[in-house]
Amino acid sequence: MPFKLGVIGIDHGHIFGMLGNMLAQGCTCAQWWTDGTAVTEQKFSETFPKLEKVADYRVILDDPEVAMVLISAIPCDRADLAIAAMEAGKDVMVDKPGCTTLAQLAAIKECQARTGRIWTVNFSERFEVAAVAKAEELVNAGAIGRVVQTLGLGPHKQNLKTRPDWFFETEKFGGILCDIGSHQIDQFLHFTGSDSAEIAHAAVENTTMPDHPGFQDFGEIVLRSDRGRGYIRVDWFTPDGLPTWGDGRLFLQGTEGQIELRKYTDIGQPHRTGNLYLVNGQDNVHMDCSQMPLPYFPRLCADVQDRSENAVSQRHTFTTMELAIRAQGMAS
């Protein structure tokens, strides 16, 4: 059964996917709030013209009909807003990173345990990518055996003209590993079936922006668990010639085959998204996954109604953010 949403903070563009996908499930939304003027505000107002902007986010939290709040505020502010929402009896979907410090994460854990609300981080590089949904289906069917290693690449364009001041301040965006590295950690844990992991190596650099010493344009992590190993590389080096914001890729090495996802484009080919390449004992194929449904959003709607954890477990979300924050601390 659909329910009512509220939006608190639209500072990052991921809010469009968060809200759009929930509305597609039949949910409704009437009001939104953001602190100051976000760079996304004009586009947000044009995309969702029927929504009312309110001056105080408490108006949304005080609405008894609002069941879930979507939060895409400046990363360092997301924890306090999520806690306020859970205290008001709302479930929460927050943009990644869900928080930026271990102290924030501890406060979120305490609040979530006490209130029983859902705190889910929208790891969009898994939850909003059709090729990943297809890869999950194939892995669950045993197409490549057990996944023993993941290699996640998260390159991005800088697009400096569209970036707000907080984008360059580590204490506000959390650092490159805490921020976009959390996507890759989520996928490592999910596909290897790992409950946790050891951070064997973590590093960050700023090689292109000496005028912004708080910025990081390259990061890497090596993970290992009792289920597998993972290598992660994230950066802001994507050239302007690419027809999209980044050439995100995921490689899954199984005991009986391998899968490569070229999520957002396929270099050297006409621009196409949702590319999956599978090689195993019988197949050597490319799959167009563009029409594959995204299971996270309908499962999350059911979780809100049923108080279940089928979209993603609370433990997994906490573990992902803890590893991302710890890797960032180790590297910085």
Side-chain angles (χ1 to χ4, degrees):
M1 181 176 179
F3 47 84
K4 187 175 181 180
L5 307 165
V7 174
I8 296 179
I10 62 167
D11 293 274
H12 196 287
H14 284 153
I15 190 59
F16 293 96
M18 294 164 65
L19 180 56
N21 279 294
M22 291 299 283
L23 293 178
Q25 298 303 313
C27 293
T28 62
C29 186
Q31 295 176 319
W32 63 279
W33 169 90
T34 201
D35 187 11
T37 302
V39 296
T40 59
E41 187 158 342
Q42 180 177 346
K43 181 181 177 182
F44 187 86
S45 297
E46 293 171 352
T47 305
F48 307 107
K50 295 182 180 180
L51 273 60
E52 173 195 9
K53 182 181 181 181
V54 297
D56 187 340
Y57 69 85
R58 287 284 171 186
V59 173
I60 295 171
L61 297 190
D62 289 342
D63 183 346
E65 295 184 357
V66 171
M68 171 170 274
V69 171
L70 311 184
I71 298 173
S72 189
I74 296 172
C76 64
D77 297 334
R78 293 172 186 172
D80 286 345
L81 292 171
I83 289 170
M86 288 189 285
E87 295 279 10
K90 316 300 183 187
D91 293 323
V92 172
M93 180 203 294
V94 62
D95 187 10
K96 64 80 218 162
C99 52
T100 57
T101 70
L102 292 175
Q104 288 180 354
L105 181 60
I108 290 168
K109 285 183 175 181
E110 187 280 328
C111 183
Q112 189 280 325
R114 177 166 42 83
T115 62
R117 308 320 302 175
I118 294 170
W119 183 77
T120 183
V121 177
N122 179 27
F123 296 114
S124 57
E125 291 193 24
R126 176 159 70 100
F127 298 151
E128 295 186 29
V129 176
V132 181
K134 183 62 178 179
E136 181 176 352
E137 180 182 272
L138 290 168
V139 169
N140 289 343
I144 61 170
R146 184 172 71 86
V147 176
V148 295
Q149 200 260 356
T150 68
L151 192 160
L153 306 179
H156 289 62
K157 285 183 179 177
Q158 293 180 354
N159 289 330
L160 299 182
K161 293 181 180 179
T162 68
R163 302 297 183 181
D165 291 342
W166 62 262
F167 176 76
F168 301 99
E169 301 175 34
T170 305
E171 67 275 10
K172 291 188 176 180
F173 75 87
I176 192 170
L177 300 182
C178 176
D179 181 18
I180 55 180
S182 63
H183 282 302
Q184 312 302 329
I185 295 171
D186 159 68
Q187 291 169 103
F188 164 79
L189 294 174
H190 177 70
F191 280 107
T192 62
S194 299
D195 292 330
S196 189
E198 175 188 355
I199 304 165
H201 166 75
V204 296
E205 292 181 1
N206 178 6
T207 61
T208 62
M209 293 191 186
D211 294 338
H212 296 286
F215 188 68
Q216 297 162 354
D217 56 19
F218 178 87
E220 63 181 358
I221 307 172
V222 176
L223 298 171
R224 59 190 175 209
S225 75
D226 59 353
R227 300 282 300 172
R229 295 174 179 267
Y231 175 77
I232 293 165
R233 191 200 81 209
V234 290
D235 65 72
W236 292 96
F237 295 151
T238 295
D240 290 340
L242 198 75
T244 187
W245 57 266
D247 184 20
R249 300 195 188 194
L250 177 66
F251 299 78
L252 305 176
Q253 182 60 57
T255 55
E256 299 174 29
Q258 60 194 50
I259 290 172
E260 178 187 350
L261 307 181
R262 302 181 190 179
K263 299 178 179 181
Y264 309 112
T265 193
D266 201 351
I267 290 177
Q269 305 292 330
H271 179 47
R272 61 187 187 187
T273 63
N275 303 285
L276 185 150
Y277 295 86
L278 167 68
V279 180
N280 60 18
Q282 296 80 38
D283 298 308
N284 177 24
V285 296
H286 165 263
M287 298 182 185
D288 177 359
C289 305
S290 57
Q291 301 305 309
M292 185 76 184
L294 304 174
Y296 170 74
F297 297 98
R299 288 173 184 170
L300 182 60
C301 288
D303 287 343
V304 171
Q305 298 292 334
D306 301 336
R307 311 316 297 168
S308 52
E309 293 188 10
N310 293 318
V312 59
S313 75
Q314 192 65 75
R315 176 179 177 177
H316 172 92
T317 305
F318 287 149
T319 299
T320 299
M321 284 315 311
E322 180 176 352
L323 287 169
I325 294 168
R326 290 193 182 279
Q328 185 67 53
M330 180 185 297
S332 299

